[in-house]
Amino acid sequence: MKLARVLVANRGEIAVRIIRTCQAIGIETVVATSEADRDSLAARIADRAFCVGPASASESYLDPEKMVAAAVVTGCDCLHPGYGFLAESPDLARLCAENDIVFVGPSPDHILQMGNKILSRKIAEDSGVPTLPGSEPVSDPEDAVSAVKEIGLPVMIKAASGGGGRGMKIVEDIDVLGAQIEMAASEAGAAFGDSTVYLEKYIGNARHIEVQVLGDSHGNIVHLGERDCSLQRRHQKMVEEAPAPGLSDELRDRIRGAAVTLAQAVNYESAGTVEFILDAESGAFYFLEMNTRIQVEHPVTEMITGEDLIEEQFRIAAGKKLRFSQAEISFRGHAIECRINAERPEVGFAPSPGVITDWRPPIAPYIRLESHCFQNYRVPVNYDSMIAKLVVYGRDRPQAIRRMQHALSQFVIGGIETTAAFQQRLISSSTFIDGRMNTRLVDEIVGQSNK
């Protein structure tokens, strides 16, 4: 099957990223835009822009029927959802199939299976992949208390659907368990339309390790190494790197192997990421979730493997076999990505929308910038605050860190406040440089700033 024209059902830097790859491989592009994004960079560089609704995401980027209708009207034979918005919507994938539009991603069944954290935990357990001690869905306070007594404090309340840190609460005192469950369920219901929550053992000194996998319709599944995504604020990632530092070869192989095992268990197709929690003290790792889409941080994997993951998604969607076996994938050097957000770290990472009056990114052979921004671009209030992904490559981790420090110092963004200076502090901390970071490091540095 040859794919000729794609509807890019997303905005911002990922829309630009998808369009660039399509230009390179000869696929025409139609980008779906809201009224707020009519003059966006994606709209400017795509072959065609098609407005699907008002600025409100619920009336544009989050409406699967509008997206599929746009694909049909503009003569697209495929649709790429990017990440966020409808990227993990089984309804969008199903509607595409019903309208003979190829969904550049996994099947609706895979999205449903792995999108529900309770079901995906069960699949992992049945496959022999390590999982954290946890519970079934909880709503009754007595059942929750009984589950906590079996799991042990502290616990994490988690939403069964969705992600991005919403519907997640850490509980260290059983007396507040009921109130926290109620809050988490309400948050999950509002964000995902599903208020189901469950409990998992909370690991205090934890690292977040994830493995990139690819699967085709011919039964081939490979991994492209792992990434460390431990630096997070509000359970959302700020800095990612590949490969993950400080892992023994034996542990690295076991984590990678577990990801492939899980993907094989469901005959997974397309790009996906299997996420794990690593207990930094014991060295034990546990399945966290699987994201059935391209990840924000995929460039660091591309930098150390030389592979274009977006291109691979299109090849897989067209029914082609993977171009390489596991043995043919090689890893070279080290890559780090900083997500630059229009936010004010000193006031709880509050959004900082507005007009970018000065935009001078750093330029060097080892720098890759993923962004939809430019001078005089207005950062809207309607969407996620990420304005750029700054990625650097080095022959090893120390060189990559030095290059990122320099790149951040040279990135001039005027008119709005950003997280760039804060990320400079993060990657310059001795904890990060020594590879001893965990998921609490951002909070610790924020605390130091507020003293």
Side-chain angles (χ1 to χ4, degrees):
M1 179 195 316
K2 179 174 174 55
L3 301 179
R5 182 181 299 162
V6 62
L7 184 86
V8 181
N10 215 300
R11 67 174 304 278
E13 69 84 16
I14 190 60
V16 173
R17 167 76 181 85
I18 294 164
I19 292 166
R20 296 294 192 202
T21 283
C22 289
Q23 290 171 338
I25 62 177
I27 295 178
E28 291 183 26
T29 55
V30 179
V31 64
T33 75
S34 71
E35 291 176 359
D37 285 331
R38 283 180 180 273
D39 193 39
S40 65
L41 181 58
R44 295 180 183 189
I45 67 172
D47 293 299
R48 180 179 176 185
F50 188 91
C51 185
V52 294
S56 169
S58 63
E59 298 179 82
S60 53
Y61 297 112
L62 286 171
D63 190 324
E65 293 185 355
K66 284 185 177 179
M67 287 297 181
V68 174
V72 172
V73 167
T74 57
C76 292
D77 52 18
C78 57
L79 179 152
H80 197 303
Y83 57 69
F85 293 128
L86 295 169
E88 292 178 284
S89 166
D91 291 337
L92 178 62
R94 176 181 52 78
L95 281 170
C96 283
E98 291 174 357
N99 287 273
D100 296 322
I101 303 293
V102 174
F103 183 71
V104 185
S107 69
D109 286 345
H110 286 150
I111 297 172
L112 282 168
Q113 283 178 314
M114 307 316 292
N116 184 293
K117 295 183 179 64
I118 295 172
L119 180 56
S120 63
R121 269 177 57 90
K122 180 67 166 56
I123 294 171
E125 289 172 356
D126 291 346
S127 305
V129 174
T131 58
L132 284 164
S135 74
E136 297 296 315
V138 295
S139 56
D140 182 87
E142 291 185 7
D143 290 343
V145 169
S146 297
V148 168
K149 288 180 178 178
E150 186 173 334
I151 297 168
L153 287 171
V155 296
M156 173 81 83
I157 304 169
K158 299 180 72 173
S161 302
R166 287 167 291 185
M168 296 176 69
K169 306 287 180 185
I170 299 169
V171 178
E172 298 179 339
D173 183 349
I174 202 165
D175 291 338
V176 302
L177 180 64
Q180 291 291 297
I181 287 175
E182 188 175 331
M183 287 176 60
S186 176
E187 207 173 279
F192 315 120
D194 179 2
S195 61
T196 305
V197 296
Y198 67 103
L199 306 178
E200 266 187 354
K201 179 68 177 175
Y202 174 68
I203 306 296
N205 188 8
R207 288 175 62 185
H208 186 130
I209 309 293
E210 62 185 31
V211 180
Q212 179 70 60
V213 296
L214 288 173
D216 63 23
S217 58
H218 304 275
N220 301 304
I221 293 176
V222 299
H223 73 77
L224 287 92
E226 78 291 336
R227 304 181 282 254
D228 188 298
C229 306
S230 299
L231 298 188
Q232 306 175 7
R233 54 100 171 91
R234 297 196 297 267
H235 306 292
Q236 294 182 323
K237 301 160 190 172
M238 293 190 74
V239 179
E240 303 99 352
E241 59 182 309
L247 304 184
S248 68
D249 290 343
E250 186 267 340
L251 178 58
R252 197 182 305 276
D253 288 344
R254 284 198 293 126
I255 292 175
R256 292 173 173 180
V260 171
T261 295
L262 184 68
Q264 289 172 332
V266 294
N267 297 313
Y268 188 76
E269 297 176 24
S270 192
T273 297
V274 185
E275 303 195 355
F276 298 94
I277 284 291
L278 173 65
D279 188 330
E281 295 178 2
S282 69
F285 69 94
Y286 308 93
F287 170 70
L288 185 61
E289 63 183 354
M290 183 174 186
N291 291 309
T292 54
R293 54 173 167 78
I294 197 72
Q295 292 277 92
V296 177
E297 57 272 20
H298 75 272
V300 293
T301 295
E302 294 181 329
M303 295 288 270
I304 67 167
T305 62
E307 305 297 343
D308 183 330
L309 295 176
I310 301 292
E311 180 179 356
E312 292 309 311
Q313 283 189 296
F314 278 103
R315 287 178 52 83
I316 292 166
K320 298 178 181 178
K321 290 183 178 181
L322 292 178
R323 292 184 298 106
F324 37 71
S325 66
Q326 189 67 67
E328 293 172 317
I329 300 170
S330 59
F331 304 95
R332 300 171 300 279
H334 200 92
I336 301 174
E337 173 181 296
C338 284
R339 301 189 191 187
I340 311 298
N341 287 63
E343 293 178 351
R344 301 171 62 195
E346 74 279 5
V347 287
F349 295 96
S352 177
V355 176
I356 296 176
T357 57
D358 196 0
W359 179 260
R360 284 176 285 158
I363 299 173
Y366 51 81
I367 291 175
R368 170 175 168 177
L369 182 70
E370 303 278 338
S371 180
H372 58 292
C373 294
F374 46 86
Q375 191 162 318
N376 297 322
Y377 173 75
R378 180 177 291 277
V379 179
V381 298
N382 313 83
Y383 313 114
D384 184 84
S385 61
M386 188 173 72
I387 58 172
K389 299 183 322 196
L390 182 61
V391 189
V392 302
Y393 175 85
R395 62 176 173 270
D396 53 28
R397 188 169 186 263
Q399 185 182 61
I401 292 174
R402 291 193 300 272
R403 286 178 166 178
M404 179 59 82
Q405 290 169 336
H406 180 69
L408 284 168
S409 72
Q410 297 299 303
F411 201 160
V412 177
I413 305 171
I416 60 171
E417 295 190 50
T418 78
T419 55
F422 181 82
Q423 284 162 317
Q424 182 76 271
R425 288 192 62 193
L426 272 180
I427 65 165
S428 298
S429 70
S430 59
T431 304
F432 179 79
I433 290 172
D434 294 342
R436 295 180 289 107
M437 62 280 183
N438 60 28
T439 54
R440 299 176 303 180
L441 181 58
V442 172
D443 291 335
E444 290 172 4
I445 290 181
V446 168
Q448 294 168 9
S449 301
N450 293 335
K451 287 182 178 179

